[in-house]
Amino acid sequence: GLTLVSTLTLTYEVIQIRIFSYALQPVVAFMAIAIAMLGFGAGATLLTLRPDISRTGTHRRLSILSLCLAASILLVNVFFAHTSSRVMEPGVVNISPLWVGFVLLPCVLPYFLAGLITAVILERGVERIGTLYFWNLLGSAAGCVLAIVLLRPLGAEIIVGLAATGATVAGLVFAWPEGGRLRWIAAGAVAGSLVLVPFSPRLLLFQPDTNEAVMKLTQWDLAEGRPGPVREFTQWDPVGRIDVIKHGRKHIFVSEPTEFRTVTIDGGAMTLVVKDPRKPGWGKALFEQSTYGAAYHLRKNPDVLVIGVGGGSDINTALYWNAKSVTGAEISLSTLRALTGPYAAFAGWPERTDVVEVIHIDGRAIAKSTDRTFDIIQMSGVDTFTMHSAGSMVLAEDYLYTTDAFGDFISLLEPDGILQVIRFGDEALSLSAIAAGALRSRGIEHPERHIVALQQNWLSGILVKREPFTAGEIETLRRMEDRKLPTGVVIPHYDEAGIKLSAPIKILHPGGKKQSRRDSDFFDAMAQGRESEALMKLKLPFIVPTDDRPYYMLGSWMSLLQRKLARNPLIDLIITSTLVTASAALLLILLPVAWVRRKSDASAGTMAGVVLYFFSLGACFMLFEVGLIHRTIVFVGTPGASVSVVLASILVSSGIGARVTDIVRWSAARKIGAALAGLLAVGLFHAFFAGALFEPLYGLPVWQRSIVAALALAPVGFFMGWFFPLGLGITASRAASLVPWAIAVNGFASVIGSLATLPLSLAFGFRTLFVLAALGYVVAVAVMMPMALSASKRSGD
């Protein structure tokens, strides 16, 4: 029963993160892990205050709690589906804290019930805690894998229904020894929940927030008297929910009228699939006279790498310019399946297999694994706003916008090749700063000579070369500025958002007579190595992202809103939600103190030691876990694989470590000391040397890299798994009544640990997380060691 509850709970948690990413802003969605751990801690707190829950009729109570868990999963998600759109006010970037609380607070309930069930079982079986904790973590690992494996074929709604069904099955398992009426009630609940599963998509009508692209597109079509959009293709994916949409507006103009479809990811990030009219030279105004074609003015008949295929605009551009070969890397398998399947003939380019090859792989992974070189590497508007399941506000594409990433891409260029990156708004200078860092890492002293920055209305971008741009190349690009009038490109869905691909192009650097003082000051600062200082003065993201601090998207949002609004609502929400959630966790840690002190014979020193030990474990386990996930994301290569491989490896190896504590016949003090020594050795190795371990192995297939990552992470998880069961066993030997409270403290500390990953990694980087986590475990062992020695003496070890 414990294994089943752990499996369904982790499956549900991973899926809920995907649902939050679709229905809420990422700033809100990153709270998902904290919500889960808050619920787990609250369940253990209730057991602390009401220990009679586990004293009599345990199987009956566990069965009833499991049936309540099933009902809560369904009811909470029905409520969420009908209220989540109220979190963001329509038409403005303003998130209501009251609605955030109203929508998210009920989401704690399923985790509260799951935490109570788990705490009851662990408390009743504390004498064999290592074995029970092993099955608990094994179930959690299975849940991580199932969530990713089942997401595409079944969808989030069906999986939520199956999670509720799993809870009813757990209720039947727990009721079985009791027999009688409860067994039949549980069996009926299983049958009823199975009947409801196929109807889950109708019950759980999740919607993106009112400011996402898919909602705006609906409003535009209806406002102009056209039929609303129709979703022709929908599939949930670890990267985000993919929708292919047919609109009431039938044509765009490029400059001839052309049919199109819109592809949205999580309802927000939007790309177009343009129908290939099968006419030579079609789309000249788009592919030749917009930023898409800038690099091609300098390189004819190139070999091209497209990072982020999306709807295929970059591939269409390459084909227009008669590319010899086009390799497309796309992180979303669902997008590839849609475009190379039902939309292949519509888009046209998927059928050009003589020239075009598309691969399901992350852009960084292909840069690390391929031995090919390219004349042009194109990355246009690649983002999804999809948060990694690790939390910490790192989005799926953030690892494409770091100095390490740009260095990888530059290394794939032919000696005279070009990297072109196109983004939105006022990002040309931020991108230039990243490119400068990458070029300097290659020993280039004057990166400003290797960068061209350009702007086209709300689009901005850079071109980067390994060699300085020649005067002839710069003159060729400046001819693009000669066009003063708009072209015939009309894409209303882009035009409404300010992405006017018909607008004239401006070269920001190297500037001529029209270069602004702002741009010239920035690139002058770059010549002196002071571009980060210049960005800060301009109120642009001044922490240039690296793989250790990959926060490009968050920095861009913050700077954009800071310039538009007097107060930044995203910053306010992050601070408010973090403080409220952390305060709630601390309050629930302290709430049972007086009760436990009155009901227990434990001394104040013992209670303080238990709190500090389990607080350190909960917080530092999360810091280690998040750090390990981010150490392996690029190596494994896809979000789905990285989440399932990394979390499953950590959880399984931690479970094995917990089981070993029941097998090894050492004293408690010796066990905890050995666990600390092992964790410090392998944890700090990953902090400082994991890159050197993975670097030679990027050429392996994804499944082999996944195995390598799992094996590399297993030692860290193995030693982390020792501390929780050992601590509970030592606590039980001193004061058994403290066990539920210790479990609660561990859960609440995990809340604080998950929230702390954002400010710590943003300010100091993920390597710092490893160091802080290691120090936290040292503190925990220092606190618990006297009690461990005392327990060993009493047991005669």
Side-chain angles (χ1 to χ4, degrees), residues 132 292 363 450 469 577:
L132 286 175
Y292 282 107
H450 300 248
F469 280 91
S577 58

Side-chain angles (χ1 to χ4, degrees), residues 317-397:
T317 304
L319 293 176
Y320 172 86
W321 288 92
N322 298 314
K324 287 185 293 186
S325 69
V326 184
T327 303
E330 173 57 50
I331 198 173
S332 169
L333 182 58
S334 297
T335 300
L336 282 186
R337 286 178 173 173
L339 294 178
T340 59
Y343 292 92
F346 182 90
W349 60 261
E351 297 183 339
R352 293 287 307 275
T353 54
D354 57 323
V355 179
V356 177
E357 178 188 16
V358 290
I359 307 170
H360 174 228
I361 192 171
D362 173 64
R364 288 297 299 283
I366 194 171
K368 291 281 193 180
S369 59
T370 186
D371 56 1
R372 292 186 59 190
T373 55
F374 301 90
D375 300 301
I376 293 176
I377 298 177
Q378 181 102 353
M379 185 166 69
S380 301
V382 180
D383 55 35
T384 62
F385 308 143
T386 297
M387 187 188 68
H388 273 297
S389 295
S392 69
M393 271 300 293
V394 174
L395 304 187
E397 280 71 33

Side-chain angles (χ1 to χ4, degrees), residues 79-121:
F79 175 79
F80 178 85
H82 285 83
T83 59
S84 64
S85 61
R86 304 295 297 274
V87 169
M88 179 78 81
E89 294 182 24
V92 295
V93 185
N94 188 22
I95 301 173
S96 168
L98 290 178
W99 272 104
V100 169
F102 183 68
V103 171
L104 295 188
L105 191 59
C107 296
V108 175
L109 181 58
Y111 301 109
F112 165 77
L113 293 168
L116 181 56
I117 293 168
T118 302
V120 167
I121 295 171

Side-chain angles (χ1 to χ4, degrees), residues 42-272:
T45 297
L46 179 62
L47 182 60
T48 304
L49 300 175
R50 293 288 308 275
D52 56 295
I53 292 174
S54 66
R55 294 290 180 264
T56 58
T58 305
H59 283 85
R60 180 174 180 275
R61 292 177 187 267
L62 290 173
S63 178
I64 293 172
L65 287 172
S66 297
L67 297 179
C68 291
L69 172 60
S72 71
I73 289 173
L74 286 176
L75 293 176
V76 163
N77 280 276
V78 169
F79 175 79
F80 178 85
H82 285 83
T83 59
S84 64
S85 61
R86 304 295 297 274
V87 169
M88 179 78 81
E89 294 182 24
V92 295
V93 185
N94 188 22
I95 301 173
S96 168
L98 290 178
W99 272 104
V100 169
F102 183 68
V103 171
L104 295 188
L105 191 59
C107 296
V108 175
L109 181 58
Y111 301 109
F112 165 77
L113 293 168
L116 181 56
I117 293 168
T118 302
V120 167
I121 295 171
L122 295 181
E123 192 261 350
R124 285 299 303 271
V126 72
E127 72 283 350
R128 52 194 180 97
I129 185 64
T131 301
L132 286 175
Y133 195 49
F134 165 75
W135 289 106
N136 178 24
L137 294 181
L138 192 67
S140 299
C144 293
V145 174
L146 281 175
I148 301 302
V149 170
L150 298 178
L151 183 57
R152 284 193 194 96
L154 298 183
E157 299 87 353
I158 293 292
I159 296 176
V160 169
L162 288 175
T165 300
T168 63
V169 174
L172 180 59
V173 170
F174 290 129
W176 200 261
E178 294 286 308
R181 184 183 303 172
L182 184 58
R183 183 189 293 180
W184 290 106
I185 292 174
V190 172
S193 62
L194 282 172
V195 170
L196 283 176
V197 167
F199 299 96
S200 296
R202 298 184 184 181
L203 293 172
L204 308 175
L205 298 174
F206 300 119
Q207 296 292 333
D209 75 67
T210 53
N211 284 304
E212 294 288 21
V214 68
M215 303 301 286
K216 289 182 177 179
L217 296 176
T218 302
Q219 295 162 9
W220 292 337
D221 277 342
L222 295 178
E224 295 184 12
R226 282 185 291 273
V230 176
R231 290 188 177 97
E232 295 183 329
F233 176 93
T234 294
Q235 188 169 80
W236 288 88
D237 189 276
V239 173
R241 175 169 148 164
I242 308 301
D243 291 304
V244 181
I245 301 170
K246 180 179 181 180
H247 299 275
R249 183 191 301 272
K250 189 175 181 181
H251 295 101
I252 59 173
F253 297 86
V254 291
S255 53
E256 59 268 29
T258 309
E259 289 188 51
F260 73 105
R261 297 290 187 271
T262 298
V263 180
T264 60
I265 301 177
D266 274 345
M270 178 176 62
T271 184
L272 291 184

Side-chain angles (χ1 to χ4, degrees), residues 773-788:
L775 291 175
Y777 273 92
V778 170
V779 170
V781 170
V783 168
M784 186 59 70
M785 187 61 76
M787 287 189 276

